Amino acid sequence: NSSESHNCAKSILTSDRLQIVVTLSEFFNETWEAANCANCLKNNSEGLSNSTVEFLDLFNKSLTCFEHNLQGQTVYLSPNNYTEVCKNCNETYRMLNDLYNNLQRMNRHGGESGHSAHLCIDVEDAMNITRKLWSRTFNCSVPCSDTVPVIAVSSFILFLPIVFYLSSFLHSKQKKRILILPKRIQSNASLVNIQEKYS
């Protein structure tokens, strides 16, 4: 009976004590949601979104570049000297990093998938692996472009108190006490002489 099909399915799924089918179904649904898997797909879930395909392609190119520049050189390189990898793969890594940052920005506004949340776990894991290889394993670091302005501003702020105290010292005149002696009447002896003259 079609009207009772829902109840029939429910009774079959929950017939055992563990309800293993329901438990597995809930587990997979929660995992799908937690991993944001829908964010790697197109709106109607027909396949991977164009941005995800582009990212994974660039990710594979980066890994290929890392491997290509390490082949035959590991014998000659010390563990901390991967200058060839840093130099030859810098462009690919920067493109991958920029694309990832753009995908993050797009995803906050809905993106291709129509879901606004984190990127899907495949993209995030791929970027984490690449960044870990780039910074920790190969020790490739590009100096921050903001270093010079930060140093300039910090120096200016540290120099301000010196300028303040120096200018306040120079502009404030140290006033010396000038004692103004009042004109005093001549001593008593001279007064007595004056009085004697007139008397």
Side-chain angles (χ1 to χ4, degrees):
N1 190 350
S2 60
S3 62
E4 296 177 359
S5 62
H6 179 70
N7 292 335
C8 180
K10 188 176 180 182
S11 63
I12 290 172
L13 291 174
T14 60
S15 60
D16 62 312
R17 187 171 60 86
L18 290 176
Q19 299 181 8
I20 194 70
V21 176
V22 175
T23 305
L24 285 175
S25 174
E26 287 175 357
F27 169 75
F28 287 122
N29 286 335
E30 286 172 9
T31 305
W32 179 270
E33 290 296 324
N36 298 301
C37 294
N39 290 344
C40 277
L41 305 174
K42 293 178 182 174
N43 277 334
N44 48 12
S45 300
E46 287 177 355
L48 291 175
S49 65
N50 296 334
S51 57
T52 305
V53 171
E54 184 184 357
F55 177 85
L56 292 176
D57 182 50
L58 207 49
F59 170 68
N60 289 331
K61 283 181 183 175
S62 297
L63 292 184
T64 304
C65 183
F66 294 163
E67 289 173 16
H68 177 72
N69 284 283
L70 287 173
Q71 284 178 353
Q73 295 182 5
T74 51
V75 177
Y76 307 106
L77 291 176
S78 66
N80 295 323
N81 187 9
Y82 296 103
T83 51
E84 288 298 313
V85 176
C86 298
K87 185 172 69 175
N88 296 334
C89 301
N90 184 40
E91 183 68 26
T92 313
Y93 174 76
R94 291 291 159 215
M95 286 169 60
L96 181 70
N97 196 45
D98 291 343
L99 178 61
Y100 178 77
N101 292 335
N102 288 336
L103 288 176
Q104 276 188 319
R105 262 185 256 115
M106 277 175 36
N107 212 49
R108 288 189 196 114
H109 305 294
E112 279 182 81
S113 65
H115 302 277
S116 97
H118 295 286
L119 292 170
C120 71
I121 199 70
D122 293 336
V123 171
E124 287 187 349
D125 280 351
M127 196 64 221
N128 287 341
I129 288 166
T130 313
R131 284 176 173 171
K132 189 175 179 183
L133 283 170
W134 184 258
S135 59
R136 291 187 189 170
T137 306
F138 303 136
N139 200 22
C140 299
S141 60
V142 177
C144 183
S145 59
D146 295 339
T147 306
V148 173
V150 167
I151 291 173
V153 170
S154 302
S155 303
F156 176 73
I157 290 172
L158 290 173
F159 193 64
L160 275 178
I162 297 168
V163 171
F164 173 75
Y165 286 114
L166 188 62
S167 63
S168 67
F169 176 76
L170 293 175
H171 290 309
S172 66
K173 294 180 180 176
Q174 300 266 336
K175 293 185 178 179
K176 295 179 181 176
R177 275 192 185 172
I178 301 171
L179 294 175
I180 300 172
L181 296 171
K183 294 182 181 177
R184 292 187 178 179
I185 301 175
Q186 294 173 351
S187 64
N188 290 338
S190 60
L191 281 174
V192 170
N193 291 336
I194 293 170
Q195 285 176 359
E196 284 177 0
K197 280 182 184 178
Y198 293 108
S199 59

